Amino acid sequence: MGREGYVVPADPQAAMKKKTASRNWIMMDCSGEKTVLDLDKYAIMHRVQIHARDLRILDPLLSYPSTILGRERAIVLNLEHIKAIITAEEVLLRDPSDENVIPVVEELQRRLPPVNAFRQGQGDGKDYGHHDVEAGEEDESPFEFRALEVALEAICSFLAARTTELETAAYPALDQLTSKISSLNLDRVRKLKSAMTRLTARVQKVRDELEQLLDDDDDMADLYLSRKLAGASSPVSGSGAPNWFAASPTIGSKISRVSRASVATVRGDENDVEELEMLLEAYFMQIDGTLNKLTTLREYIDDTEDYINIQLDNHRNQLIQLELFLSSGTVCLSIYSLVAGIFGMNIPYTWNDDHGFMFKWVVIVTGVSCALLFVVIMSYARHKGLVGS
């Protein structure tokens, strides 16, 4: 037993493995080369020059909402499973062995080729077609924006894929529930609704962060790391900024191509955030579309619940009507039983002597009277709308 206030971990090896994994970072520089780093938080803070509170946001053991923070020389990115630090020259991703992070690393390698690759292709005099023309048009995009674009695209694609999987499973389950209400179908829909609620909350957090960032020009201006470095190295002119080369256009790249054509003006004006605004707006619309799909699914679930409640109410009404029929019949039979009980008593009646035919008439009259009473009760209930037609 451990000391008071100290909790002994249930699985020390698993705890040590998780702690070691949390120290692992993968570094992707502007040349597209990746390097696995085993650094503690102090080394990371010194490397990218951020505070401990910023690094705490990326701790996988702590739960923090989706965040995109702009610092002096880095962008702190916490979006779902992507926990990264982006600088003007490199990207640091946490937990590179995570199955959800591996595709992001591969996409960064594809989007961040060696800087001289494009120049070498031009030097060889080869015609690469329209694809290279577009790449040449986008070579002004800063490194941090390309890395941010990869992260946003990965998050939006991940959440959209989870939403599609949920829709694929939810709609047939809801249709099956409307056709047959059973404990199995109800439990299945309950699990799907819980999954939809959790996924909606995750999508809403990402959407709120993008919306908050789009509403504040100062926060967006903090994400222009290359502009800050260019201004620091060349206060008078922004001509000292390096050139950047992109691999292939994506949603954000295509939309922001118009603003990149005037990149010189953008670099000269520190308050101009049109390029980043176009980029964020594209993915905001994409994540908003995912949220709309989840909203539509929620409405479909609510409609299904209303339909099931109507069905259950109809069944309850039918049971009440059946109970009314049975209760009315029971009352009539009780009267018949009362008459039979009276005449079945062993009491001498003077008027019963030499009148054997009275038994027949008592049975007939009592039966007809009970039947008429049942008809009267049902007619009254139908007149009052207590039973259906």
Side-chain angles (χ1 to χ4, degrees), residues 66 79-81 151-167 198-207 210 283 286-291 293-294:
S66 299
L79 295 176
E80 290 291 322
H81 54 273
L152 291 175
E153 183 177 1
I155 288 299
C156 293
S157 301
F158 176 80
L159 295 176
R162 300 290 84 77
T163 302
T164 302
E165 292 177 1
L166 185 61
E167 287 179 330
R198 292 192 298 268
L199 183 59
T200 302
R202 294 162 60 185
V203 174
Q204 185 68 47
K205 289 179 181 179
V206 177
R207 182 188 180 278
L210 291 178
Y283 291 102
Q286 186 173 347
I287 201 70
D288 191 60
T290 302
L291 185 61
K293 290 183 180 180
L294 292 172

Side-chain angles (χ1 to χ4, degrees), residues 118 122 129-142 146 243-249 252-264 267 275:
F118 183 77
Q122 287 183 334
H130 182 69
H131 180 274
D132 286 335
V133 172
E134 292 182 347
E137 292 176 354
E138 296 178 8
D139 59 355
E140 297 290 348
S141 180
R146 284 186 283 149
N243 293 327
W244 295 273
F245 296 87
S248 60
S253 300
K254 293 178 180 178
I255 295 179
S256 60
R257 188 178 302 158
V258 177
S259 63
R260 289 169 185 168
S262 59
V263 68
R267 290 175 183 170
E275 180 179 5

Side-chain angles (χ1 to χ4, degrees), residues 264-275:
T265 306
V266 172
R267 290 175 183 170
D269 187 2
E270 295 183 356
N271 297 323
D272 191 347
V273 293
E274 181 181 358
E275 180 179 5

